[in-house]
Amino acid sequence: MSALVIGHITVKDADQWAQYRARVPATLAPFGAELVFRGQRGRLLAGTHAHADTVVIRFPDLASVDRWYDSPAYQALLPLRQAAADIDLVSFSE
């Protein structure tokens, strides 16, 4: 059963965010992940939503999500990510 990672993002530093985004794909490839969607919020239809950007990444399964997130390659990017943006990152199984 595949799994999705959904990130809701507010960019704090555009230059650092660009550096982070450029480095993430190399961390995804070993885990069979694919970028499904990256975009900016249109109109809020209901409720509240603080972030302007969203990303959706598909993985083969939840175990692959955990291996990716805990991998040394991705963990090395966390300081850059934290400096670049505020992110709510959640995994889901389909």
Side-chain angles (χ1 to χ4, degrees):
M1 190 176 297
S2 64
L4 298 172
V5 169
I6 299 175
H8 297 286
I9 306 151
T10 298
V11 175
K12 299 185 293 190
D13 182 311
D15 291 336
Q16 288 188 41
W17 182 245
Q19 291 174 43
Y20 170 80
R21 281 183 51 182
R23 294 174 63 187
V24 168
T27 71
L28 296 171
F31 302 97
E34 65 172 313
L35 179 65
V36 175
F37 172 82
R38 180 181 290 147
Q40 294 186 326
R41 180 181 61 210
R43 185 177 77 137
L44 181 63
L45 301 174
T48 60
H49 188 75
H51 299 289
D53 295 3
T54 297
V55 65
V56 179
I57 304 165
R58 178 175 284 117
F59 287 81
D61 50 43
L62 283 173
S64 297
V65 171
D66 291 340
R67 287 192 305 272
W68 162 72
Y69 189 84
D70 294 336
S71 70
Y74 186 70
Q75 288 294 306
L77 295 182
L78 291 185
L80 180 58
R81 186 190 81 190
Q82 292 164 347
D86 292 326
I87 299 178
D88 294 327
L89 199 60
V90 183
S91 64
F92 296 89
S93 61
E94 290 187 293

Coordinates of all heavy atoms in Angstrom, one line a residue:
M1 N 0.8 -1.2 0.0 CA 0.0 0.0 0.0 C 0.9 1.2 0.0 O 1.8 1.4 0.8 CB -0.9 0.0 1.2 CG -2.0 1.0 1.2 SD -3.1 0.9 2.6 CE -3.8 -0.7 2.4
S2 N 0.7 2.2 -0.9 CA 1.5 3.3 -1.0 C 1.2 4.3 0.1 O 0.2 4.2 0.8 CB 1.4 4.0 -2.4 OG 0.1 4.5 -2.6
A3 N 2.2 5.2 0.3 CA 2.0 6.2 1.3 C 2.4 7.6 0.8 O 3.1 7.7 -0.2 CB 3.0 5.9 2.5
L4 N 1.8 8.6 1.4 CA 2.0 10.0 0.9 C 2.6 10.8 2.1 O 2.3 10.6 3.2 CB 0.7 10.7 0.5 CG 0.0 10.0 -0.7 CD1 -1.4 10.7 -0.8 CD2 0.8 10.2 -1.9
V5 N 3.5 11.7 1.8 CA 4.0 12.7 2.7 C 3.4 14.0 2.2 O 3.6 14.4 1.0 CB 5.5 12.8 2.8 CG1 5.9 14.0 3.6 CG2 6.0 11.5 3.4
I6 N 2.7 14.7 3.0 CA 2.2 16.1 2.7 C 2.8 17.1 3.6 O 2.8 16.9 4.8 CB 0.6 16.1 2.8 CG1 0.0 15.0 1.9 CG2 0.1 17.5 2.5 CD1 -1.5 14.9 2.0
G7 N 3.4 18.1 2.9 CA 4.0 19.2 3.6 C 3.3 20.5 3.4 O 3.0 20.8 2.2
H8 N 3.0 21.2 4.4 CA 2.4 22.5 4.3 C 3.5 23.5 4.8 O 4.1 23.3 5.9 CB 1.1 22.7 5.2 CG 0.1 21.7 4.8 ND1 -0.7 22.0 3.6 CD2 -0.4 20.6 5.3 CE1 -1.6 21.0 3.5 NE2 -1.4 20.1 4.4
I9 N 3.8 24.5 4.0 CA 5.0 25.2 4.1 C 4.8 26.7 4.1 O 4.0 27.2 3.2 CB 5.9 24.9 2.9 CG1 6.1 23.4 2.8 CG2 7.3 25.6 2.9 CD1 6.4 22.8 1.4
T10 N 5.5 27.4 4.9 CA 5.6 28.9 4.9 C 7.1 29.2 4.8 O 7.9 28.9 5.7 CB 5.0 29.5 6.1 OG1 3.6 29.2 6.2 CG2 5.2 31.1 6.1
V11 N 7.5 29.7 3.7 CA 8.9 30.1 3.4 C 9.3 31.3 4.2 O 8.7 32.3 4.2 CB 9.2 30.3 1.9 CG1 10.6 30.7 1.7 CG2 8.8 29.0 1.1
K12 N 10.5 31.2 4.9 CA 11.0 32.3 5.7 C 12.2 32.9 5.0 O 12.4 34.1 5.1 CB 11.5 31.8 7.1 CG 10.4 31.2 7.9 CD 10.9 30.9 9.3 CE 11.9 29.8 9.3 NZ 12.2 29.2 10.7
D13 N 13.0 32.1 4.2 CA 14.2 32.6 3.5 C 14.2 32.0 2.2 O 14.5 30.8 2.1 CB 15.4 32.3 4.4 CG 16.7 32.8 3.7 OD1 16.9 32.6 2.5 OD2 17.5 33.4 4.5
A14 N 13.9 32.7 1.1 CA 13.8 32.2 -0.2 C 15.1 31.5 -0.7 O 15.0 30.5 -1.4 CB 13.3 33.2 -1.2
D15 N 16.2 32.1 -0.4 CA 17.5 31.6 -0.9 C 17.8 30.2 -0.2 O 18.2 29.3 -0.9 CB 18.6 32.6 -0.6 CG 18.5 33.8 -1.5 OD1 17.9 33.7 -2.6 OD2 19.1 34.8 -1.1
Q16 N 17.6 30.2 1.1 CA 17.8 28.9 1.8 C 16.8 27.8 1.3 O 17.1 26.7 1.2 CB 17.8 29.1 3.3 CG 19.0 29.8 3.8 CD 19.1 29.9 5.3 OE1 18.8 28.9 5.9 NE2 19.5 31.0 5.8
W17 N 15.6 28.3 1.1 CA 14.5 27.4 0.6 C 14.9 26.8 -0.7 O 14.7 25.6 -1.0 CB 13.2 28.0 0.6 CG 12.1 27.1 0.2 CD1 11.3 27.2 -0.9 CD2 11.6 26.0 0.9 NE1 10.4 26.2 -1.0 CE2 10.6 25.4 0.1 CE3 12.0 25.4 2.1 CZ2 9.9 24.3 0.5 CZ3 11.3 24.2 2.5 CH2 10.3 23.7 1.7
A18 N 15.4 27.6 -1.6 CA 15.9 27.1 -2.9 C 17.0 26.1 -2.8 O 17.0 25.0 -3.5 CB 16.3 28.3 -3.8
Q19 N 17.9 26.3 -1.9 CA 19.0 25.3 -1.6 C 18.4 24.0 -1.1 O 18.8 22.9 -1.5 CB 20.0 25.9 -0.6 CG 20.8 27.1 -1.1 CD 21.6 27.6 0.1 OE1 22.2 26.9 0.8 NE2 21.7 29.0 0.2
Y20 N 17.5 24.1 -0.2 CA 16.9 22.9 0.4 C 16.1 22.1 -0.7 O 16.3 20.9 -0.8 CB 15.9 23.3 1.5 CG 15.1 22.2 2.0 CD1 15.5 21.2 2.9 CD2 13.7 22.1 1.6 CE1 14.7 20.2 3.4 CE2 12.9 21.0 2.0 CZ 13.4 20.1 2.9 OH 12.6 19.1 3.4
R21 N 15.3 22.8 -1.5 CA 14.5 22.1 -2.5 C 15.4 21.5 -3.5 O 15.1 20.4 -4.1 CB 13.6 23.1 -3.2 CG 12.4 23.4 -2.5 CD 11.5 24.4 -3.2 NE 11.2 23.9 -4.6 CZ 10.5 24.6 -5.4 NH1 10.0 25.8 -5.1 NH2 10.3 24.2 -6.6
A22 N 16.6 22.1 -3.8 CA 17.5 21.5 -4.8 C 18.1 20.2 -4.3 O 18.5 19.3 -5.0 CB 18.6 22.5 -5.1
R23 N 18.3 20.0 -2.9 CA 18.9 18.9 -2.4 C 18.0 17.8 -2.0 O 18.5 16.6 -1.8 CB 19.7 19.4 -1.1 CG 20.9 20.3 -1.6 CD 21.6 20.9 -0.4 NE 22.3 19.9 0.4 CZ 22.9 20.2 1.6 NH1 22.9 21.4 2.0 NH2 23.5 19.2 2.2
V24 N 16.7 18.0 -1.8 CA 15.8 17.0 -1.4 C 15.7 15.8 -2.4 O 15.6 14.7 -2.0 CB 14.4 17.6 -1.0 CG1 13.4 16.5 -0.9 CG2 14.5 18.4 0.2
P25 N 15.5 16.1 -3.7 CA 15.3 14.9 -4.6 C 16.3 13.8 -4.5 O 16.0 12.6 -4.6 CB 15.4 15.6 -6.0 CG 14.9 17.0 -5.7 CD 15.5 17.4 -4.4
A26 N 17.6 14.1 -4.2 CA 18.6 13.1 -4.1 C 18.3 12.2 -2.9 O 18.7 11.0 -2.8 CB 20.0 13.7 -4.0
T27 N 17.7 12.8 -1.9 CA 17.4 12.0 -0.7 C 16.1 11.1 -0.9 O 16.0 10.1 -0.2 CB 17.1 12.9 0.6 OG1 15.8 13.6 0.4 CG2 18.2 13.9 0.8
L28 N 15.3 11.4 -1.8 CA 14.1 10.7 -2.1 C 14.3 9.4 -3.0 O 13.7 8.4 -2.8 CB 13.0 11.6 -2.8 CG 12.5 12.7 -2.0 CD1 11.7 13.6 -2.9 CD2 11.7 12.3 -0.8
A29 N 15.2 9.6 -3.9 CA 15.4 8.5 -5.0 C 15.7 7.1 -4.4 O 15.1 6.2 -4.8 CB 16.5 9.0 -5.9
P30 N 16.6 7.0 -3.4 CA 16.9 5.7 -2.8 C 15.7 5.0 -2.2 O 15.7 3.8 -2.0 CB 17.9 5.9 -1.8 CG 18.5 7.2 -2.1 CD 17.4 8.0 -2.7
F31 N 14.6 5.7 -2.0 CA 13.4 5.1 -1.3 C 12.2 5.0 -2.2 O 11.1 4.7 -1.8 CB 13.1 6.0 -0.1 CG 14.2 6.0 0.9 CD1 15.1 7.1 0.9 CD2 14.5 5.0 1.7 CE1 16.2 7.2 1.7 CE2 15.6 5.0 2.6 CZ 16.5 6.1 2.6
G32 N 12.5 5.1 -3.5 CA 11.4 4.9 -4.5 C 10.3 6.0 -4.4 O 9.2 5.7 -4.8
A33 N 10.7 7.2 -4.0 CA 9.7 8.3 -3.8 C 9.6 9.1 -5.1 O 10.5 9.2 -5.9 CB 10.0 9.1 -2.6
E34 N 8.4 9.7 -5.3 CA 8.2 10.6 -6.4 C 7.4 11.8 -6.0 O 6.5 11.7 -5.2 CB 7.5 9.9 -7.5 CG 6.0 9.5 -7.2 CD 5.2 9.0 -8.3 OE1 5.2 9.6 -9.4 OE2 4.6 7.9 -8.1
L35 N 7.8 12.9 -6.5 CA 7.1 14.2 -6.2 C 5.8 14.1 -7.0 O 5.8 14.0 -8.3 CB 8.0 15.4 -6.7 CG 7.3 16.7 -6.5 CD1 7.1 17.0 -5.0 CD2 8.2 17.8 -7.1
V36 N 4.7 14.3 -6.3 CA 3.4 14.2 -7.0 C 2.9 15.7 -7.3 O 2.3 15.9 -8.3 CB 2.3 13.5 -6.1 CG1 0.9 13.6 -6.7 CG2 2.8 12.1 -5.8
F37 N 3.1 16.6 -6.3 CA 2.5 17.9 -6.5 C 3.3 18.9 -5.7 O 3.8 18.6 -4.6 CB 1.1 17.9 -6.0 CG 0.5 19.3 -5.9 CD1 -0.1 19.9 -7.0 CD2 0.4 20.0 -4.7 CE1 -0.6 21.1 -7.0 CE2 -0.1 21.2 -4.7 CZ -0.7 21.8 -5.8
R38 N 3.6 20.1 -6.2 CA 4.1 21.2 -5.5 C 3.4 22.4 -6.0 O 3.4 22.7 -7.2 CB 5.6 21.3 -5.8 CG 6.2 22.5 -5.0 CD 7.7 22.6 -5.3 NE 8.4 21.5 -4.7 CZ 9.5 21.0 -5.1 NH1 10.0 21.4 -6.3 NH2 10.1 20.0 -4.5
G39 N 2.8 23.2 -5.1 CA 2.1 24.4 -5.5 C 1.8 25.3 -4.4 O 2.1 25.1 -3.2
Q40 N 1.2 26.4 -4.8 CA 0.9 27.5 -3.8 C -0.6 27.5 -3.6 O -1.4 27.3 -4.6 CB 1.4 28.8 -4.3 CG 2.9 28.9 -4.3 CD 3.4 30.3 -4.7 OE1 2.8 31.0 -5.4 NE2 4.5 30.6 -4.1
R41 N -1.0 27.9 -2.4 CA -2.4 28.0 -2.1 C -3.2 29.0 -3.0 O -2.7 30.0 -3.3 CB -2.6 28.4 -0.6 CG -4.0 28.5 -0.1 CD -4.2 29.0 1.3 NE -3.6 30.3 1.4 CZ -3.0 30.8 2.5 NH1 -3.0 30.1 3.6 NH2 -2.5 32.0 2.5
G42 N -4.3 28.5 -3.4 CA -5.3 29.4 -4.1 C -6.2 30.0 -3.1 O -5.7 30.6 -2.1
R43 N -7.4 29.8 -3.2 CA -8.4 30.3 -2.3 C -8.7 29.3 -1.1 O -8.9 28.1 -1.4 CB -9.7 30.6 -3.0 CG -10.8 31.3 -2.2 CD -12.0 31.6 -3.1 NE -12.7 30.4 -3.3 CZ -14.1 30.3 -3.2 NH1 -14.8 31.4 -3.1 NH2 -14.7 29.1 -3.4
L44 N -8.8 29.8 0.1 CA -9.2 29.0 1.2 C -10.7 28.8 1.1 O -11.4 29.7 1.2 CB -8.8 29.6 2.5 CG -9.1 28.8 3.8 CD1 -8.3 27.5 3.8 CD2 -8.8 29.7 5.0
L45 N -11.1 27.5 1.0 CA -12.5 27.2 0.9 C -13.2 27.0 2.2 O -14.4 27.3 2.3 CB -12.7 26.0 0.0 CG -12.1 26.1 -1.4 CD1 -12.2 24.8 -2.2 CD2 -12.7 27.3 -2.2
A46 N -12.5 26.5 3.2 CA -13.2 26.3 4.5 C -12.1 26.2 5.5 O -11.0 25.7 5.3 CB -14.0 25.0 4.4
G47 N -12.4 26.5 6.8 CA -11.5 26.3 7.9 C -10.4 27.3 7.9 O -10.5 28.4 7.3
T48 N -9.3 26.9 8.5 CA -8.1 27.8 8.5 C -6.9 27.0 8.0 O -6.8 25.8 8.1 CB -7.8 28.2 10.0 OG1 -7.6 27.1 10.8 CG2 -8.9 29.0 10.5
H49 N -6.0 27.7 7.4 CA -4.8 27.1 6.8 C -3.7 28.2 6.8 O -3.8 29.1 6.0 CB -5.0 26.5 5.5 CG -3.9 25.7 4.9 ND1 -3.6 24.5 5.4 CD2 -3.0 26.0 4.0 CE1 -2.6 24.0 4.8 NE2 -2.2 24.9 3.9
A50 N -2.7 28.1 7.6 CA -1.7 29.1 7.8 C -0.7 29.2 6.7 O -0.1 30.2 6.5 CB -1.0 29.0 9.2
H51 N -0.4 28.0 6.0 CA 0.7 28.0 5.1 C 0.3 28.3 3.7 O -0.8 28.1 3.3 CB 1.3 26.5 5.2 CG 1.8 26.2 6.5 ND1 3.0 26.7 7.0 CD2 1.4 25.3 7.4 CE1 3.2 26.2 8.2 NE2 2.2 25.4 8.5
A52 N 1.3 28.8 2.9 CA 1.0 29.2 1.6 C 1.4 28.1 0.5 O 0.8 28.2 -0.6 CB 1.9 30.5 1.3
D53 N 2.3 27.2 0.8 CA 2.7 26.2 -0.1 C 2.4 24.8 0.4 O 2.3 24.6 1.6 CB 4.2 26.3 -0.4 CG 4.7 27.6 -1.0 OD1 3.8 28.5 -1.2 OD2 5.9 27.8 -1.3
T54 N 2.3 23.9 -0.6 CA 2.0 22.5 -0.3 C 2.9 21.6 -1.2 O 3.1 22.0 -2.3 CB 0.6 22.1 -0.4 OG1 -0.2 22.9 0.5 CG2 0.3 20.7 -0.2
V55 N 3.4 20.5 -0.6 CA 4.1 19.5 -1.4 C 3.5 18.1 -1.1 O 3.1 17.9 0.1 CB 5.6 19.5 -1.1 CG1 5.9 19.2 0.3 CG2 6.4 18.7 -2.1
V56 N 3.4 17.3 -2.1 CA 2.9 15.9 -1.9 C 3.9 15.0 -2.5 O 4.3 15.1 -3.7 CB 1.5 15.7 -2.5 CG1 1.1 14.3 -2.3 CG2 0.5 16.7 -1.9
I57 N 4.4 14.0 -1.7 CA 5.4 13.0 -2.2 C 4.8 11.6 -2.0 O 4.4 11.3 -0.9 CB 6.7 13.2 -1.5 CG1 7.2 14.7 -1.6 CG2 7.8 12.2 -2.0 CD1 8.3 15.0 -0.6
R58 N 4.9 10.8 -3.0 CA 4.4 9.4 -2.9 C 5.6 8.5 -2.6 O 6.6 8.6 -3.3 CB 3.7 9.0 -4.1 CG 3.2 7.5 -4.0 CD 2.4 7.1 -5.2 NE 1.0 7.6 -5.1 CZ 0.5 8.5 -5.9 NH1 1.1 8.9 -7.0 NH2 -0.7 9.0 -5.7
F59 N 5.4 7.5 -1.7 CA 6.4 6.5 -1.4 C 5.7 5.1 -1.6 O 4.5 5.0 -1.5 CB 6.8 6.6 0.1 CG 7.7 7.8 0.4 CD1 7.2 9.1 0.6 CD2 9.1 7.6 0.5 CE1 8.1 10.1 0.8 CE2 10.0 8.7 0.8 CZ 9.4 9.9 1.0
P60 N 6.5 4.1 -1.7 CA 5.9 2.8 -1.9 C 5.1 2.3 -0.7 O 4.1 1.6 -0.8 CB 7.2 1.8 -2.1 CG 8.2 2.7 -2.6 CD 8.0 4.1 -1.9
D61 N 5.5 2.8 0.5 CA 4.8 2.3 1.7 C 5.3 3.2 2.9 O 6.3 4.0 2.8 CB 5.1 0.9 2.1 CG 6.6 0.5 2.0 OD1 7.4 1.3 2.5 OD2 6.9 -0.5 1.4
L62 N 4.7 3.1 4.1 CA 5.0 3.9 5.2 C 6.4 3.6 5.7 O 7.1 4.5 6.2 CB 4.0 3.7 6.3 CG 2.7 4.5 6.2 CD1 1.7 4.1 7.3 CD2 2.9 6.0 6.2
A63 N 6.9 2.4 5.6 CA 8.2 2.0 6.0 C 9.2 2.8 5.2 O 10.3 3.2 5.8 CB 8.4 0.5 5.9
S64 N 9.0 3.0 3.9 CA 9.9 3.8 3.1 C 9.9 5.2 3.5 O 11.0 5.9 3.5 CB 9.5 3.7 1.6 OG 9.6 2.4 1.2
V65 N 8.8 5.8 3.9 CA 8.7 7.1 4.5 C 9.6 7.3 5.7 O 10.4 8.2 5.8 CB 7.3 7.5 4.8 CG1 7.3 8.9 5.6 CG2 6.4 7.6 3.6
D66 N 9.5 6.3 6.6 CA 10.3 6.4 7.8 C 11.8 6.2 7.5 O 12.6 7.0 8.1 CB 9.8 5.3 8.8 CG 8.5 5.5 9.4 OD1 8.0 6.7 9.3 OD2 7.8 4.5 9.8
R67 N 12.1 5.3 6.6 CA 13.5 5.2 6.3 C 14.1 6.4 5.6 O 15.2 6.8 5.9 CB 13.7 4.0 5.4 CG 13.6 2.6 6.1 CD 14.1 1.4 5.3 NE 13.4 1.3 4.0 CZ 12.3 0.7 3.7 NH1 11.6 0.1 4.7 NH2 11.8 0.6 2.5
W68 N 13.3 7.1 4.8 CA 13.7 8.3 4.1 C 13.9 9.4 5.2 O 15.0 10.0 5.3 CB 12.7 8.8 3.1 CG 12.9 10.3 2.8 CD1 13.9 10.8 2.0 CD2 12.0 11.3 3.1 NE1 13.7 12.2 1.9 CE2 12.5 12.5 2.6 CE3 10.8 11.4 3.9 CZ2 12.0 13.8 2.8 CZ3 10.3 12.6 4.1 CH2 10.8 13.8 3.6
Y69 N 12.9 9.6 6.0 CA 12.9 10.7 7.0 C 14.1 10.5 8.0 O 14.8 11.5 8.4 CB 11.6 10.9 7.8 CG 11.6 12.1 8.6 CD1 11.3 13.3 8.0 CD2 12.0 12.1 9.9 CE1 11.3 14.5 8.8 CE2 12.0 13.3 10.7 CZ 11.6 14.5 10.1 OH 11.7 15.6 10.8
D70 N 14.3 9.3 8.4 CA 15.4 9.0 9.4 C 16.8 8.8 8.7 O 17.8 8.7 9.4 CB 15.1 7.7 10.2 CG 13.8 7.9 11.0 OD1 13.5 9.1 11.4 OD2 13.2 6.9 11.3
S71 N 16.9 8.9 7.4 CA 18.1 8.6 6.7 C 19.1 9.8 7.0 O 18.8 10.9 7.2 CB 17.9 8.6 5.2 OG 17.6 9.8 4.7
P72 N 20.4 9.4 7.1 CA 21.4 10.4 7.3 C 21.4 11.5 6.3 O 21.6 12.7 6.6 CB 22.7 9.7 7.3 CG 22.4 8.3 7.7 CD 21.0 8.1 7.1
A73 N 21.1 11.2 5.0 CA 21.0 12.2 4.0 C 19.9 13.2 4.2 O 20.2 14.4 4.0 CB 20.8 11.5 2.6
Y74 N 18.7 12.8 4.6 CA 17.7 13.8 4.9 C 17.9 14.5 6.2 O 17.7 15.7 6.3 CB 16.3 13.1 4.8 CG 15.2 14.2 4.9 CD1 15.0 15.1 3.9 CD2 14.5 14.4 6.1 CE1 14.1 16.1 4.0 CE2 13.6 15.4 6.2 CZ 13.4 16.3 5.1 OH 12.5 17.3 5.2
Q75 N 18.3 13.8 7.2 CA 18.5 14.4 8.5 C 19.6 15.5 8.4 O 19.5 16.5 9.1 CB 19.0 13.3 9.5 CG 17.8 12.4 10.0 CD 16.8 13.2 10.7 OE1 17.0 13.9 11.7 NE2 15.5 13.1 10.3
A76 N 20.5 15.4 7.5 CA 21.5 16.4 7.3 C 20.9 17.7 6.8 O 21.5 18.8 6.9 CB 22.6 15.9 6.3
L77 N 19.8 17.6 6.1 CA 19.1 18.8 5.6 C 18.2 19.5 6.6 O 17.7 20.6 6.3 CB 18.2 18.4 4.4 CG 19.0 17.9 3.1 CD1 18.0 17.6 2.0 CD2 20.0 18.9 2.7
L78 N 17.9 18.9 7.7 CA 17.0 19.5 8.7 C 17.4 20.9 9.1 O 16.5 21.8 9.2 CB 16.8 18.6 9.9 CG 16.0 17.3 9.6 CD1 15.7 16.5 10.8 CD2 14.7 17.6 8.8
P79 N 18.7 21.2 9.5 CA 19.0 22.6 9.9 C 18.7 23.6 8.7 O 18.2 24.7 9.0 CB 20.5 22.5 10.2 CG 20.7 21.1 10.5 CD 19.8 20.3 9.7
L80 N 19.0 23.2 7.5 CA 18.7 24.1 6.4 C 17.2 24.3 6.2 O 16.7 25.4 6.1 CB 19.3 23.5 5.1 CG 19.1 24.3 3.8 CD1 19.6 25.7 4.0 CD2 19.7 23.6 2.6
R81 N 16.4 23.2 6.3 CA 15.0 23.3 6.2 C 14.4 24.2 7.3 O 13.5 25.0 7.1 CB 14.3 21.9 6.4 CG 12.8 21.9 6.1 CD 12.2 20.6 6.5 NE 12.0 20.5 7.9 CZ 11.6 19.4 8.5 NH1 11.4 18.3 7.9 NH2 11.4 19.5 9.8
Q82 N 14.9 24.0 8.6 CA 14.4 24.8 9.7 C 14.7 26.3 9.5 O 13.9 27.1 9.9 CB 14.9 24.2 11.0 CG 14.3 22.9 11.3 CD 15.0 22.1 12.3 OE1 16.1 22.4 12.7 NE2 14.4 21.0 12.8
A83 N 15.8 26.6 8.9 CA 16.2 28.0 8.7 C 15.4 28.6 7.5 O 15.1 29.8 7.5 CB 17.7 28.1 8.4
A84 N 15.0 27.7 6.6 CA 14.4 28.2 5.4 C 12.9 28.4 5.5 O 12.3 29.2 4.8 CB 14.7 27.2 4.2
A85 N 12.2 27.5 6.3 CA 10.8 27.5 6.3 C 10.2 26.9 7.5 O 10.8 26.1 8.2 CB 10.3 26.7 5.1
D86 N 8.9 27.3 7.8 CA 8.1 26.6 8.8 C 7.3 25.5 8.0 O 6.7 25.9 7.0 CB 7.2 27.6 9.5 CG 7.9 28.6 10.4 OD1 9.0 28.2 10.9 OD2 7.5 29.7 10.5
I87 N 7.4 24.3 8.5 CA 6.7 23.2 7.8 C 6.0 22.3 8.7 O 6.5 21.9 9.8 CB 7.8 22.3 7.0 CG1 8.5 23.2 6.0 CG2 7.1 21.1 6.4 CD1 9.6 22.4 5.2
D88 N 4.8 21.9 8.3 CA 4.0 20.8 9.0 C 4.1 19.7 8.0 O 3.7 19.8 6.8 CB 2.6 21.2 9.2 CG 2.4 22.3 10.2 OD1 3.2 22.4 11.2 OD2 1.5 23.1 10.1
L89 N 4.7 18.6 8.4 CA 5.0 17.4 7.5 C 4.3 16.2 8.1 O 4.5 15.9 9.3 CB 6.5 17.2 7.5 CG 7.1 16.4 6.3 CD1 6.8 17.0 5.0 CD2 8.6 16.3 6.5
V90 N 3.4 15.6 7.3 CA 2.6 14.5 7.8 C 2.6 13.3 6.8 O 2.6 13.6 5.6 CB 1.1 14.9 8.0 CG1 0.3 13.8 8.6 CG2 1.1 16.1 8.9
S91 N 2.7 12.1 7.3 CA 2.6 10.9 6.4 C 1.2 10.3 6.5 O 0.6 10.3 7.6 CB 3.7 9.9 6.7 OG 3.5 9.4 8.0
F92 N 0.8 9.7 5.4 CA -0.5 9.0 5.3 C -0.4 7.8 4.5 O 0.4 7.7 3.6 CB -1.6 9.9 4.6 CG -1.9 11.2 5.2 CD1 -1.2 12.3 5.0 CD2 -3.0 11.3 6.1 CE1 -1.5 13.5 5.6 CE2 -3.3 12.5 6.7 CZ -2.5 13.6 6.5
S93 N -1.1 6.7 4.8 CA -1.2 5.6 4.0 C -2.4 5.6 3.1 O -3.4 6.1 3.6 CB -1.1 4.3 4.8 OG -2.2 4.2 5.7
E94 N -2.3 5.1 1.9 CA -3.5 5.0 1.0 C -4.2 3.7 1.2 O -3.7 2.7 1.5 CB -3.0 5.1 -0.4 CG -2.5 6.5 -0.7 CD -2.2 6.7 -2.2 OE1 -1.3 6.0 -2.7 OE2 -2.9 7.5 -2.9

